[in-house]
Amino acid sequence: MTFTPYTLDPDLDIQLEREVDVPPALVWKAWTTPDLLTQWFAPKPYETPHCEIDLRPGGIFRTVMRSPEGEEFDGAGCYLEVLPEERLVWTSALAPGYRPQPGEMAFTAIIELQPTASGGTRYRAIAMHQTPEDNKKHADMGFIEGWGAALDQLVALAKTL
Amino acid sequence: MTFTPYTLDPDLDIQLEREVDVPPALVWKAWTTPDLLTQWFAPKPYETPHCEIDLRPGGIFRTVMRSPEGEEFDGAGCYLEVLPEERLVWTSALAPGYRPQPGEMAFTAIIELQPTASGGTRYRAIAMHQTPEDNKKHADMGFIEGWGAALDQLVALAKTL
């Protein structure tokens, strides 16, 4: 299977796009294995003490992040598409099992992976919002910087696997 | 493929379950063909002048319903699971392409079809809500009666196919 790369809506979406020097198989493994994800998902000094993954459409994707002050952020969303080593889609607008759930600044995330000629990965992480206000708020919270720092951590971890 | 029948949460879900004397293939066809769906989807005297279907996860499911007084109700949701002649899932909490969308009384719908020994269909239509209040409101609006009347129309149409 292959997928059609997502076409960005600049008013409603933010995106981190980078080339990294680890292959799609390892990026996928880091995104879909709880014991790995907890090691890279939150940009330091934040941590991810807990993660639950049921890797199928409708399955749970839960992360608990913790600030340096000990405040915890516990969120459970729902996978929508699982295309191994190519594309992972989940949303915070649905709870596991597809039940609608309330929540501020709901977003759907798409991770797209494409192999590069040199054995690395063309990596895209996209967050789709329902309003330009939500999009701006997420951007102002540091989406690009935060997801970028986490990606650095992912790559460093992947090189040890 | 087969599916695991959905387990109802009585505080958050409402369900119409019935046995009808047309086979799953025809029920599926009536649910997934725009020119058929417009003929049965709204319980009379309501009508469904327009319907759009892109039958894949992430694809549009849009219906325009019209009251006898001419008021129109235009809603576009997103398919989540498409398992031909067995299971159809969509949600109003996501727009086509999985983008979160606002909306009162968001729900996810599951249609489950199972063949009966006599050649008919064990039919379940489930609406999953995010709160007991939404669930009650949807029930009080006449979900069971409305979806039941629409199912009668579907069966009558299917017998002409």
mmCIF file of all heavy atoms in Angstrom, chain A residues 6 9 12-13 57 80-81 89 91 93-94 97-102 106-108 128-130, chain B residues 6 9 12-13 57 80-81 89 91 93-94 97-102 106-108 128-130:
data_model
loop_
_atom_site.group_PDB
_atom_site.id
_atom_site.type_symbol
_atom_site.label_atom_id
_atom_site.label_comp_id
_atom_site.label_asym_id
_atom_site.label_seq_id
_atom_site.Cartn_x
_atom_site.Cartn_y
_atom_site.Cartn_z
ATOM 1 N N TYR A 6 -0.332 14.247 2.276
ATOM 2 C CA TYR A 6 -1.359 15.207 2.667
ATOM 3 C C TYR A 6 -1.045 16.610 2.127
ATOM 4 O O TYR A 6 0.105 17.048 2.149
ATOM 5 C CB TYR A 6 -1.436 15.250 4.199
ATOM 6 C CG TYR A 6 -2.430 16.249 4.703
ATOM 7 C CD1 TYR A 6 -3.787 16.017 4.536
ATOM 8 C CD2 TYR A 6 -2.023 17.432 5.295
ATOM 9 C CE1 TYR A 6 -4.708 16.945 4.965
ATOM 10 C CE2 TYR A 6 -2.942 18.363 5.744
ATOM 11 C CZ TYR A 6 -4.285 18.110 5.573
ATOM 12 O OH TYR A 6 -5.203 19.030 5.995
ATOM 13 N N ASP A 9 -3.242 22.782 4.575
ATOM 14 C CA ASP A 9 -4.056 24.003 4.562
ATOM 15 C C ASP A 9 -3.375 24.975 5.528
ATOM 16 O O ASP A 9 -3.466 24.809 6.745
ATOM 17 C CB ASP A 9 -5.474 23.679 5.034
ATOM 18 C CG ASP A 9 -6.371 24.911 5.044
ATOM 19 O OD1 ASP A 9 -5.841 26.047 5.190
ATOM 20 O OD2 ASP A 9 -7.587 24.744 4.912
ATOM 21 N N LEU A 12 -5.118 26.296 8.687
ATOM 22 C CA LEU A 12 -5.670 25.358 9.678
ATOM 23 C C LEU A 12 -4.680 24.292 10.140
ATOM 24 O O LEU A 12 -4.972 23.557 11.086
ATOM 25 C CB LEU A 12 -6.906 24.655 9.094
ATOM 26 C CG LEU A 12 -8.112 25.539 8.810
ATOM 27 C CD1 LEU A 12 -9.189 24.741 8.078
ATOM 28 C CD2 LEU A 12 -8.690 26.093 10.111
ATOM 29 N N ASP A 13 -3.532 24.218 9.466
ATOM 30 C CA ASP A 13 -2.594 23.134 9.769
ATOM 31 C C ASP A 13 -1.221 23.696 10.096
ATOM 32 O O ASP A 13 -0.803 24.692 9.506
ATOM 33 C CB ASP A 13 -2.406 22.216 8.548
ATOM 34 C CG ASP A 13 -3.706 21.653 8.002
ATOM 35 O OD1 ASP A 13 -4.642 21.448 8.795
ATOM 36 O OD2 ASP A 13 -3.773 21.406 6.783
ATOM 37 N N PRO A 57 -6.982 1.035 13.793
ATOM 38 C CA PRO A 57 -8.016 2.069 13.753
ATOM 39 C C PRO A 57 -9.020 1.856 14.893
ATOM 40 O O PRO A 57 -9.505 0.738 15.094
ATOM 41 C CB PRO A 57 -8.662 1.870 12.377
ATOM 42 C CG PRO A 57 -7.545 1.281 11.548
ATOM 43 C CD PRO A 57 -6.811 0.364 12.488
ATOM 44 N N LEU A 80 -6.634 6.440 13.693
ATOM 45 C CA LEU A 80 -7.560 6.418 12.553
ATOM 46 C C LEU A 80 -6.995 5.623 11.383
ATOM 47 O O LEU A 80 -7.716 4.896 10.715
ATOM 48 C CB LEU A 80 -7.866 7.850 12.104
ATOM 49 C CG LEU A 80 -8.550 8.721 13.172
ATOM 50 C CD1 LEU A 80 -8.576 10.169 12.724
ATOM 51 C CD2 LEU A 80 -9.952 8.229 13.466
ATOM 52 N N GLU A 81 -5.713 5.800 11.109
ATOM 53 C CA GLU A 81 -5.070 5.052 10.023
ATOM 54 C C GLU A 81 -3.720 4.560 10.509
ATOM 55 O O GLU A 81 -2.970 5.304 11.135
ATOM 56 C CB GLU A 81 -4.856 5.910 8.777
ATOM 57 C CG GLU A 81 -6.121 6.212 8.022
ATOM 58 C CD GLU A 81 -5.853 6.874 6.673
ATOM 59 O OE1 GLU A 81 -4.711 6.822 6.159
ATOM 60 O OE2 GLU A 81 -6.802 7.460 6.132
ATOM 61 N N VAL A 89 -2.112 8.060 11.601
ATOM 62 C CA VAL A 89 -3.066 9.153 11.821
ATOM 63 C C VAL A 89 -3.816 8.874 13.112
ATOM 64 O O VAL A 89 -4.288 7.753 13.331
ATOM 65 C CB VAL A 89 -4.084 9.277 10.656
ATOM 66 C CG1 VAL A 89 -5.024 10.457 10.877
ATOM 67 C CG2 VAL A 89 -3.371 9.406 9.313
ATOM 68 N N THR A 91 -6.409 11.124 16.314
ATOM 69 C CA THR A 91 -7.094 12.374 16.639
ATOM 70 C C THR A 91 -7.381 12.462 18.127
ATOM 71 O O THR A 91 -7.596 11.434 18.784
ATOM 72 C CB THR A 91 -8.410 12.508 15.845
ATOM 73 O OG1 THR A 91 -8.937 13.829 16.035
ATOM 74 C CG2 THR A 91 -9.462 11.491 16.291
ATOM 75 N N ALA A 93 -9.949 14.299 18.945
ATOM 76 C CA ALA A 93 -11.388 14.597 18.933
ATOM 77 C C ALA A 93 -12.242 13.368 19.200
ATOM 78 O O ALA A 93 -13.444 13.476 19.449
ATOM 79 C CB ALA A 93 -11.790 15.215 17.590
ATOM 80 N N LEU A 94 -11.624 12.187 19.138
ATOM 81 C CA LEU A 94 -12.330 10.949 19.430
ATOM 82 C C LEU A 94 -11.569 10.197 20.512
ATOM 83 O O LEU A 94 -10.336 10.120 20.480
ATOM 84 C CB LEU A 94 -12.418 10.051 18.183
ATOM 85 C CG LEU A 94 -13.160 10.597 16.971
ATOM 86 C CD1 LEU A 94 -13.057 9.601 15.806
ATOM 87 C CD2 LEU A 94 -14.633 10.875 17.290
ATOM 88 N N GLY A 97 -12.119 3.796 20.491
ATOM 89 C CA GLY A 97 -13.410 3.248 20.072
ATOM 90 C C GLY A 97 -14.238 4.235 19.280
ATOM 91 O O GLY A 97 -15.410 3.976 19.017
ATOM 92 N N TYR A 98 -13.658 5.394 18.948
ATOM 93 C CA TYR A 98 -14.296 6.403 18.082
ATOM 94 C C TYR A 98 -15.336 7.273 18.770
ATOM 95 O O TYR A 98 -16.046 8.036 18.112
ATOM 96 C CB TYR A 98 -14.967 5.763 16.850
ATOM 97 C CG TYR A 98 -14.091 4.935 15.961
ATOM 98 C CD1 TYR A 98 -14.452 3.615 15.642
ATOM 99 C CD2 TYR A 98 -12.935 5.456 15.390
ATOM 100 C CE1 TYR A 98 -13.681 2.841 14.791
ATOM 101 C CE2 TYR A 98 -12.153 4.687 14.536
ATOM 102 C CZ TYR A 98 -12.535 3.383 14.235
ATOM 103 O OH TYR A 98 -11.780 2.615 13.391
ATOM 104 N N ARG A 99 -15.471 7.178 20.097
ATOM 105 C CA ARG A 99 -16.477 8.015 20.754
ATOM 106 C C ARG A 99 -16.029 9.473 20.742
ATOM 107 O O ARG A 99 -14.885 9.777 21.090
ATOM 108 C CB ARG A 99 -16.665 7.567 22.210
ATOM 109 C CG ARG A 99 -17.767 8.336 22.949
ATOM 110 C CD ARG A 99 -17.935 7.890 24.399
ATOM 111 N NE ARG A 99 -18.232 6.477 24.545
ATOM 112 C CZ ARG A 99 -19.406 5.918 24.265
ATOM 113 N NH1 ARG A 99 -20.404 6.668 23.841
ATOM 114 N NH2 ARG A 99 -19.590 4.614 24.403
ATOM 115 N N PRO A 100 -16.925 10.403 20.323
ATOM 116 C CA PRO A 100 -16.558 11.824 20.401
ATOM 117 C C PRO A 100 -16.174 12.190 21.830
ATOM 118 O O PRO A 100 -16.745 11.668 22.786
ATOM 119 C CB PRO A 100 -17.856 12.540 19.986
ATOM 120 C CG PRO A 100 -18.600 11.549 19.159
ATOM 121 C CD PRO A 100 -18.281 10.205 19.766
ATOM 122 N N GLN A 101 -15.168 13.061 21.967
ATOM 123 C CA GLN A 101 -14.805 13.507 23.311
ATOM 124 C C GLN A 101 -14.551 15.003 23.281
ATOM 125 O O GLN A 101 -14.053 15.551 22.298
ATOM 126 C CB GLN A 101 -13.588 12.760 23.855
ATOM 127 C CG GLN A 101 -12.266 12.999 23.167
ATOM 128 C CD GLN A 101 -11.112 12.221 23.826
ATOM 129 O OE1 GLN A 101 -11.277 11.624 24.890
ATOM 130 N NE2 GLN A 101 -9.954 12.230 23.200
ATOM 131 N N PRO A 102 -14.921 15.668 24.377
ATOM 132 C CA PRO A 102 -14.697 17.103 24.452
ATOM 133 C C PRO A 102 -13.207 17.368 24.629
ATOM 134 O O PRO A 102 -12.431 16.463 24.910
ATOM 135 C CB PRO A 102 -15.474 17.524 25.695
ATOM 136 C CG PRO A 102 -15.541 16.294 26.544
ATOM 137 C CD PRO A 102 -15.511 15.119 25.604
ATOM 138 N N ALA A 106 -8.847 20.669 19.874
ATOM 139 C CA ALA A 106 -8.781 19.325 19.293
ATOM 140 C C ALA A 106 -7.955 19.365 18.016
ATOM 141 O O ALA A 106 -8.012 20.334 17.258
ATOM 142 C CB ALA A 106 -10.192 18.828 18.992
ATOM 143 N N PHE A 107 -7.186 18.317 17.789
ATOM 144 C CA PHE A 107 -6.453 18.233 16.531
ATOM 145 C C PHE A 107 -6.316 16.784 16.091
ATOM 146 O O PHE A 107 -6.411 15.861 16.890
ATOM 147 C CB PHE A 107 -5.074 18.905 16.627
ATOM 148 C CG PHE A 107 -4.072 18.199 17.494
ATOM 149 C CD1 PHE A 107 -3.083 17.414 16.941
ATOM 150 C CD2 PHE A 107 -4.126 18.329 18.872
ATOM 151 C CE1 PHE A 107 -2.150 16.754 17.740
ATOM 152 C CE2 PHE A 107 -3.203 17.681 19.685
ATOM 153 C CZ PHE A 107 -2.215 16.888 19.119
ATOM 154 N N THR A 108 -6.134 16.642 14.789
ATOM 155 C CA THR A 108 -5.812 15.356 14.198
ATOM 156 C C THR A 108 -4.373 15.435 13.732
ATOM 157 O O THR A 108 -3.965 16.423 13.120
ATOM 158 C CB THR A 108 -6.749 15.046 13.020
ATOM 159 O OG1 THR A 108 -8.084 14.924 13.518
ATOM 160 C CG2 THR A 108 -6.351 13.748 12.319
ATOM 161 N N MET A 128 -3.786 19.073 12.293
ATOM 162 C CA MET A 128 -4.931 19.698 11.621
ATOM 163 C C MET A 128 -5.914 20.199 12.679
ATOM 164 O O MET A 128 -6.323 19.423 13.546
ATOM 165 C CB MET A 128 -5.654 18.664 10.761
ATOM 166 C CG MET A 128 -4.788 17.920 9.765
ATOM 167 S SD MET A 128 -5.658 16.432 9.154
ATOM 168 C CE MET A 128 -7.118 17.199 8.432
ATOM 169 N N HIS A 129 -6.324 21.454 12.556
ATOM 170 C CA HIS A 129 -7.224 22.045 13.552
ATOM 171 C C HIS A 129 -8.563 22.420 12.945
ATOM 172 O O HIS A 129 -8.696 22.499 11.733
ATOM 173 C CB HIS A 129 -6.557 23.270 14.174
ATOM 174 C CG HIS A 129 -5.220 22.960 14.764
ATOM 175 N ND1 HIS A 129 -4.065 23.030 14.025
ATOM 176 C CD2 HIS A 129 -4.860 22.523 15.998
ATOM 177 C CE1 HIS A 129 -3.039 22.679 14.787
ATOM 178 N NE2 HIS A 129 -3.493 22.356 15.991
ATOM 179 N N GLN A 130 -9.530 22.710 13.832
ATOM 180 C CA GLN A 130 -10.856 23.056 13.291
ATOM 181 C C GLN A 130 -11.009 24.529 13.020
ATOM 182 O O GLN A 130 -11.883 24.918 12.245
ATOM 183 C CB GLN A 130 -11.978 22.500 14.173
ATOM 184 C CG GLN A 130 -12.041 23.041 15.583
ATOM 185 C CD GLN A 130 -13.107 22.296 16.393
ATOM 186 O OE1 GLN A 130 -13.452 21.145 16.102
ATOM 187 N NE2 GLN A 130 -13.641 22.935 17.415
ATOM 188 N N TYR B 6 -20.305 -4.558 18.524
ATOM 189 C CA TYR B 6 -20.081 -3.498 19.496
ATOM 190 C C TYR B 6 -20.834 -3.765 20.794
ATOM 191 O O TYR B 6 -21.986 -4.192 20.781
ATOM 192 C CB TYR B 6 -20.538 -2.168 18.883
ATOM 193 C CG TYR B 6 -20.381 -1.019 19.838
ATOM 194 C CD1 TYR B 6 -19.115 -0.544 20.152
ATOM 195 C CD2 TYR B 6 -21.485 -0.432 20.446
ATOM 196 C CE1 TYR B 6 -18.958 0.496 21.045
ATOM 197 C CE2 TYR B 6 -21.342 0.611 21.330
ATOM 198 C CZ TYR B 6 -20.073 1.071 21.627
ATOM 199 O OH TYR B 6 -19.917 2.098 22.515
ATOM 200 N N ASP B 9 -22.866 0.868 25.636
ATOM 201 C CA ASP B 9 -22.805 1.547 26.934
ATOM 202 C C ASP B 9 -24.142 2.268 27.111
ATOM 203 O O ASP B 9 -24.394 3.283 26.472
ATOM 204 C CB ASP B 9 -21.647 2.548 26.938
ATOM 205 C CG ASP B 9 -21.538 3.292 28.262
ATOM 206 O OD1 ASP B 9 -22.562 3.430 28.971
ATOM 207 O OD2 ASP B 9 -20.428 3.740 28.586
ATOM 208 N N LEU B 12 -24.437 6.075 27.407
ATOM 209 C CA LEU B 12 -23.863 6.957 26.379
ATOM 210 C C LEU B 12 -24.299 6.605 24.954
ATOM 211 O O LEU B 12 -24.011 7.358 24.025
ATOM 212 C CB LEU B 12 -22.324 6.901 26.444
ATOM 213 C CG LEU B 12 -21.678 7.470 27.713
ATOM 214 C CD1 LEU B 12 -20.187 7.186 27.715
ATOM 215 C CD2 LEU B 12 -21.922 8.976 27.801
ATOM 216 N N ASP B 13 -24.969 5.457 24.803
ATOM 217 C CA ASP B 13 -25.295 4.990 23.455
ATOM 218 C C ASP B 13 -26.791 4.723 23.337
ATOM 219 O O ASP B 13 -27.422 4.283 24.296
ATOM 220 C CB ASP B 13 -24.597 3.653 23.156
ATOM 221 C CG ASP B 13 -23.091 3.683 23.360
ATOM 222 O OD1 ASP B 13 -22.486 4.746 23.146
ATOM 223 O OD2 ASP B 13 -22.539 2.628 23.713
ATOM 224 N N PRO B 57 -12.271 5.129 4.618
ATOM 225 C CA PRO B 57 -11.933 5.864 5.843
ATOM 226 C C PRO B 57 -11.399 7.250 5.499
ATOM 227 O O PRO B 57 -10.526 7.380 4.626
ATOM 228 C CB PRO B 57 -10.857 4.965 6.483
ATOM 229 C CG PRO B 57 -11.203 3.578 6.001
ATOM 230 C CD PRO B 57 -11.658 3.789 4.573
ATOM 231 N N LEU B 80 -15.159 6.192 9.089
ATOM 232 C CA LEU B 80 -14.025 5.690 9.867
ATOM 233 C C LEU B 80 -13.712 4.236 9.531
ATOM 234 O O LEU B 80 -12.557 3.861 9.445
ATOM 235 C CB LEU B 80 -14.334 5.821 11.364
ATOM 236 C CG LEU B 80 -14.555 7.255 11.854
ATOM 237 C CD1 LEU B 80 -15.091 7.250 13.279
ATOM 238 C CD2 LEU B 80 -13.274 8.066 11.767
ATOM 239 N N GLU B 81 -14.741 3.425 9.377
ATOM 240 C CA GLU B 81 -14.552 2.023 8.996
ATOM 241 C C GLU B 81 -15.573 1.646 7.933
ATOM 242 O O GLU B 81 -16.748 1.993 8.043
ATOM 243 C CB GLU B 81 -14.729 1.090 10.205
ATOM 244 C CG GLU B 81 -13.587 1.133 11.196
ATOM 245 C CD GLU B 81 -13.678 0.025 12.251
ATOM 246 O OE1 GLU B 81 -14.401 -0.980 12.054
ATOM 247 O OE2 GLU B 81 -13.031 0.188 13.298
ATOM 248 N N VAL B 89 -18.920 2.632 9.870
ATOM 249 C CA VAL B 89 -18.768 3.548 10.998
ATOM 250 C C VAL B 89 -18.443 4.931 10.461
ATOM 251 O O VAL B 89 -17.598 5.070 9.576
ATOM 252 C CB VAL B 89 -17.617 3.096 11.941
ATOM 253 C CG1 VAL B 89 -17.496 4.037 13.140
ATOM 254 C CG2 VAL B 89 -17.821 1.655 12.406
ATOM 255 N N THR B 91 -18.501 9.413 11.798
ATOM 256 C CA THR B 91 -18.662 10.328 12.931
ATOM 257 C C THR B 91 -18.972 11.728 12.444
ATOM 258 O O THR B 91 -18.512 12.141 11.370
ATOM 259 C CB THR B 91 -17.403 10.337 13.816
ATOM 260 O OG1 THR B 91 -17.674 11.064 15.011
ATOM 261 C CG2 THR B 91 -16.205 10.980 13.112
ATOM 262 N N ALA B 93 -18.056 14.119 14.473
ATOM 263 C CA ALA B 93 -17.038 14.892 15.207
ATOM 264 C C ALA B 93 -15.836 15.235 14.328
ATOM 265 O O ALA B 93 -15.007 16.058 14.708
ATOM 266 C CB ALA B 93 -16.572 14.115 16.434
ATOM 267 N N LEU B 94 -15.743 14.584 13.170
ATOM 268 C CA LEU B 94 -14.662 14.874 12.235
ATOM 269 C C LEU B 94 -15.263 15.229 10.883
ATOM 270 O O LEU B 94 -16.209 14.583 10.416
ATOM 271 C CB LEU B 94 -13.746 13.659 12.061
ATOM 272 C CG LEU B 94 -13.003 13.138 13.300
ATOM 273 C CD1 LEU B 94 -12.221 11.880 12.936
ATOM 274 C CD2 LEU B 94 -12.076 14.206 13.879
ATOM 275 N N GLY B 97 -11.683 13.938 5.708
ATOM 276 C CA GLY B 97 -10.231 14.065 5.847
ATOM 277 C C GLY B 97 -9.776 14.048 7.289
ATOM 278 O O GLY B 97 -8.618 14.310 7.575
ATOM 279 N N TYR B 98 -10.697 13.773 8.212
ATOM 280 C CA TYR B 98 -10.406 13.602 9.648
ATOM 281 C C TYR B 98 -10.214 14.900 10.420
ATOM 282 O O TYR B 98 -9.811 14.867 11.585
ATOM 283 C CB TYR B 98 -9.143 12.747 9.874
ATOM 284 C CG TYR B 98 -9.145 11.367 9.275
ATOM 285 C CD1 TYR B 98 -8.115 10.958 8.425
ATOM 286 C CD2 TYR B 98 -10.147 10.448 9.587
ATOM 287 C CE1 TYR B 98 -8.081 9.670 7.903
ATOM 288 C CE2 TYR B 98 -10.113 9.165 9.058
ATOM 289 C CZ TYR B 98 -9.078 8.783 8.225
ATOM 290 O OH TYR B 98 -9.026 7.509 7.716
ATOM 291 N N ARG B 99 -10.476 16.056 9.815
ATOM 292 C CA ARG B 99 -10.296 17.307 10.560
ATOM 293 C C ARG B 99 -11.360 17.420 11.654
ATOM 294 O O ARG B 99 -12.549 17.214 11.373
ATOM 295 C CB ARG B 99 -10.404 18.509 9.610
ATOM 296 C CG ARG B 99 -10.139 19.841 10.313
ATOM 297 C CD ARG B 99 -10.268 21.042 9.364
ATOM 298 N NE ARG B 99 -9.387 20.970 8.224
ATOM 299 C CZ ARG B 99 -8.078 21.194 8.253
ATOM 300 N NH1 ARG B 99 -7.502 21.509 9.401
ATOM 301 N NH2 ARG B 99 -7.359 21.090 7.160
ATOM 302 N N PRO B 100 -10.965 17.747 12.890
ATOM 303 C CA PRO B 100 -11.984 17.970 13.931
ATOM 304 C C PRO B 100 -12.953 19.060 13.494
ATOM 305 O O PRO B 100 -12.546 20.023 12.833
ATOM 306 C CB PRO B 100 -11.149 18.432 15.137
ATOM 307 C CG PRO B 100 -9.797 17.852 14.919
ATOM 308 C CD PRO B 100 -9.589 17.876 13.421
ATOM 309 N N GLN B 101 -14.238 18.894 13.835
ATOM 310 C CA GLN B 101 -15.197 19.955 13.512
ATOM 311 C C GLN B 101 -16.124 20.172 14.693
ATOM 312 O O GLN B 101 -16.462 19.231 15.414
ATOM 313 C CB GLN B 101 -15.982 19.644 12.231
ATOM 314 C CG GLN B 101 -16.949 18.481 12.309
ATOM 315 C CD GLN B 101 -17.723 18.281 10.994
ATOM 316 O OE1 GLN B 101 -17.654 19.101 10.077
ATOM 317 N NE2 GLN B 101 -18.478 17.203 10.907
ATOM 318 N N PRO B 102 -16.505 21.430 14.897
ATOM 319 C CA PRO B 102 -17.417 21.719 15.996
ATOM 320 C C PRO B 102 -18.801 21.200 15.643
ATOM 321 O O PRO B 102 -19.081 20.834 14.506
ATOM 322 C CB PRO B 102 -17.407 23.244 16.060
ATOM 323 C CG PRO B 102 -17.036 23.700 14.692
ATOM 324 C CD PRO B 102 -16.181 22.628 14.102
ATOM 325 N N ALA B 106 -22.373 15.922 19.047
ATOM 326 C CA ALA B 106 -21.576 15.071 18.159
ATOM 327 C C ALA B 106 -21.842 13.604 18.465
ATOM 328 O O ALA B 106 -22.032 13.228 19.620
ATOM 329 C CB ALA B 106 -20.094 15.377 18.344
ATOM 330 N N PHE B 107 -21.875 12.780 17.424
ATOM 331 C CA PHE B 107 -22.016 11.350 17.658
ATOM 332 C C PHE B 107 -21.270 10.556 16.601
ATOM 333 O O PHE B 107 -21.013 11.043 15.505
ATOM 334 C CB PHE B 107 -23.487 10.918 17.737
ATOM 335 C CG PHE B 107 -24.242 10.990 16.438
ATOM 336 C CD1 PHE B 107 -24.473 9.847 15.686
ATOM 337 C CD2 PHE B 107 -24.709 12.205 15.977
ATOM 338 C CE1 PHE B 107 -25.181 9.899 14.495
ATOM 339 C CE2 PHE B 107 -25.408 12.274 14.783
ATOM 340 C CZ PHE B 107 -25.651 11.127 14.035
ATOM 341 N N THR B 108 -20.917 9.347 16.991
ATOM 342 C CA THR B 108 -20.353 8.373 16.058
ATOM 343 C C THR B 108 -21.402 7.297 15.853
ATOM 344 O O THR B 108 -22.013 6.827 16.811
ATOM 345 C CB THR B 108 -19.057 7.773 16.626
ATOM 346 O OG1 THR B 108 -18.084 8.811 16.737
ATOM 347 C CG2 THR B 108 -18.524 6.659 15.720
ATOM 348 N N MET B 128 -23.197 6.694 19.340
ATOM 349 C CA MET B 128 -22.347 6.844 20.526
ATOM 350 C C MET B 128 -22.135 8.325 20.810
ATOM 351 O O MET B 128 -21.716 9.073 19.920
ATOM 352 C CB MET B 128 -20.969 6.228 20.264
ATOM 353 C CG MET B 128 -20.976 4.778 19.824
ATOM 354 S SD MET B 128 -19.349 4.337 19.095
ATOM 355 C CE MET B 128 -18.292 4.646 20.511
ATOM 356 N N HIS B 129 -22.373 8.737 22.068
ATOM 357 C CA HIS B 129 -22.262 10.149 22.417
ATOM 358 C C HIS B 129 -21.164 10.394 23.441
ATOM 359 O O HIS B 129 -20.692 9.464 24.085
ATOM 360 C CB HIS B 129 -23.609 10.637 22.964
ATOM 361 C CG HIS B 129 -24.736 10.402 22.008
ATOM 362 N ND1 HIS B 129 -25.445 9.235 22.005
ATOM 363 C CD2 HIS B 129 -25.228 11.163 21.004
ATOM 364 C CE1 HIS B 129 -26.355 9.281 21.040
ATOM 365 N NE2 HIS B 129 -26.238 10.440 20.418
ATOM 366 N N GLN B 130 -20.828 11.668 23.600
ATOM 367 C CA GLN B 130 -19.750 11.949 24.551
ATOM 368 C C GLN B 130 -20.245 12.170 25.969
ATOM 369 O O GLN B 130 -19.468 12.029 26.915
ATOM 370 C CB GLN B 130 -18.854 13.104 24.075
ATOM 371 C CG GLN B 130 -19.521 14.443 23.938
ATOM 372 C CD GLN B 130 -18.564 15.478 23.298
ATOM 373 O OE1 GLN B 130 -17.646 15.126 22.574
ATOM 374 N NE2 GLN B 130 -18.790 16.738 23.565
#
